[in-house]
Amino acid sequence: MSKVTQVAHPLILHKLAFIRNKNTGSKDFRELVEEVSMLMAYEVTRDLQMEEVEIETPICKTKCKMLAGKKMAIVPILRAGLGMVDGMLKLIPAAKVGHIGLYRDEETLQPVEYFCKLPQDIAERDVIVVDPMLATGGSAADAITLLKKKGAKNIRLMCLISSPEGVKAVMNAHPDVDIYLASIDEKLNEHGYIVPGLGDAGDRLFGTK
Ligand code: PRP
Ligand code: URA
């Protein structure tokens, strides 16, 4: 069963209030999404494997812990997931980045795939899928299915805002995938938007409409 972690740190919730605010423009929205992603990366990577290494300080030899060298990949779901990549890379600079392009058909709300480019060794990497919004859960579930078809085994999902329905959909489709969120909001509206949410994440990041 998926573990669902709500990363409700005061700094994250404070920044999320600005992100949700309709008066926050694209420049600030982008910067805040990057900052929150960086803060969440701290929690998403909490259980990374470590190994003991011996080093020498200016005083003496000592044993320290370092990351065990397991390789990571960050996979944003285009477009809005792109806004989370730089924040993640600030904490995990050696990660490779794959891209999965999906958009929601406005009528059916079903995800439509239009792009997939992944690191060639994705099967050996710990993968973090990033997307600010988990609404019906269709896009995230399809992206994870695609990653599994390409051989990825260890996958986590990190989103800023989710609906309760989206969390359930991903848990049902992929019980092996742990989910990290800053907020689980109230519900989806009749257009498949998260309430209260933040509106259309892609449009707000890139200034489109
Ligand atoms: C948004 C969002 C997610 C998806 C969530 O993308 O970034 O990918 O909707 O909805 P779901 O959980 O119901 O599938 P959108 O399809 O608007 O594309 P965009 O990022 O290119 O704007
Ligand atoms: N996609 C968004 O960008 N926002 C929502 O509320 C739902 C899907």
Side-chain angles (χ1 to χ4, degrees), residues 83-121:
M84 300 173 73
V85 174
D86 286 351
M88 304 281 298
L89 287 176
K90 286 214 166 105
L91 285 199
I92 321 168
K96 290 205 172 161
V97 181
H99 295 86
I100 294 180
L102 294 173
Y103 71 86
R104 275 200 326 179
D105 180 290
E106 285 185 9
E107 298 294 316
T108 64
L109 299 184
Q110 291 306 304
V112 181
E113 185 193 327
Y114 61 89
F115 189 76
C116 179
K117 184 83 181 168
L118 300 171
Q120 147 268 320
D121 59 352

Side-chain angles (χ1 to χ4, degrees), residues 11-12 29 50 58 88 102 104 124-125 173 185 197 201:
L11 290 176
I12 292 177
F29 189 91
M50 310 228 66
M88 304 281 298
L102 294 173
R104 275 200 326 179
E124 280 89 61
R125 291 182 177 266
D185 280 9

Side-chain angles (χ1 to χ4, degrees), residues 28 71 86 93 98 146 155 172 199:
D28 289 340
K71 296 189 259 176
D86 286 351
L146 192 55
I155 303 172
N172 286 338

Side-chain angles (χ1 to χ4, degrees), residues 77-81 102-105 109 111 114 131-140 166 188 192-193 200-203 206:
I77 301 178
L78 307 181
R79 293 173 299 163
L102 294 173
Y103 71 86
R104 275 200 326 179
D105 180 290
L109 299 184
Y114 61 89
D131 192 326
M133 309 307 278
L134 184 60
T136 65
S139 302
L188 286 180
Y193 276 82
D200 187 307
D203 284 344
F206 298 111

Side-chain angles (χ1 to χ4, degrees), residues 26-127:
S26 285
K27 175 182 176 289
D28 289 340
F29 189 91
R30 267 198 295 273
E31 288 173 6
L32 287 158
V33 167
E34 180 179 332
E35 287 169 12
V36 169
S37 304
M38 185 174 71
L39 293 169
M40 287 184 74
Y42 180 81
E43 190 61 37
V44 177
T45 53
R46 180 179 284 283
D47 61 353
L48 289 185
Q49 278 180 12
M50 310 228 66
E51 63 187 2
E52 201 166 72
V53 293
E54 190 175 83
I55 58 122
E56 206 168 341
T57 75
I59 311 298
C60 66
K61 285 188 176 165
T62 186
K63 293 205 165 87
C64 294
K65 298 238 162 136
M66 293 190 79
L67 291 173
K70 189 97 171 45
K71 296 189 259 176
M72 303 204 64
I74 298 162
V75 178
I77 301 178
L78 307 181
R79 293 173 299 163
L82 283 176
M84 300 173 73
V85 174
D86 286 351
M88 304 281 298
L89 287 176
K90 286 214 166 105
L91 285 199
I92 321 168
K96 290 205 172 161
V97 181
H99 295 86
I100 294 180
L102 294 173
Y103 71 86
R104 275 200 326 179
D105 180 290
E106 285 185 9
E107 298 294 316
T108 64
L109 299 184
Q110 291 306 304
V112 181
E113 185 193 327
Y114 61 89
F115 189 76
C116 179
K117 184 83 181 168
L118 300 171
Q120 147 268 320
D121 59 352
I122 193 76
E124 280 89 61
R125 291 182 177 266
D126 283 349
V127 179

Side-chain angles (χ1 to χ4, degrees), residues 107-182:
E107 298 294 316
T108 64
L109 299 184
Q110 291 306 304
V112 181
E113 185 193 327
Y114 61 89
F115 189 76
C116 179
K117 184 83 181 168
L118 300 171
Q120 147 268 320
D121 59 352
I122 193 76
E124 280 89 61
R125 291 182 177 266
D126 283 349
V127 179
I128 306 175
V129 177
V130 294
D131 192 326
M133 309 307 278
L134 184 60
T136 65
S139 302
D142 275 19
I144 294 166
T145 300
L146 192 55
L147 280 159
K148 286 181 176 174
K149 277 192 197 144
K150 304 276 181 186
K153 288 173 275 300
N154 189 346
I155 303 172
R156 293 154 215 231
L157 172 66
M158 179 177 133
C159 303
L160 302 192
I161 298 180
S162 160
S163 69
E165 295 90 329
V167 177
K168 273 194 212 122
V170 173
M171 285 176 85
N172 286 338
H174 300 291
D176 55 314
V177 171
D178 289 341
I179 305 173
Y180 296 81
L181 307 155

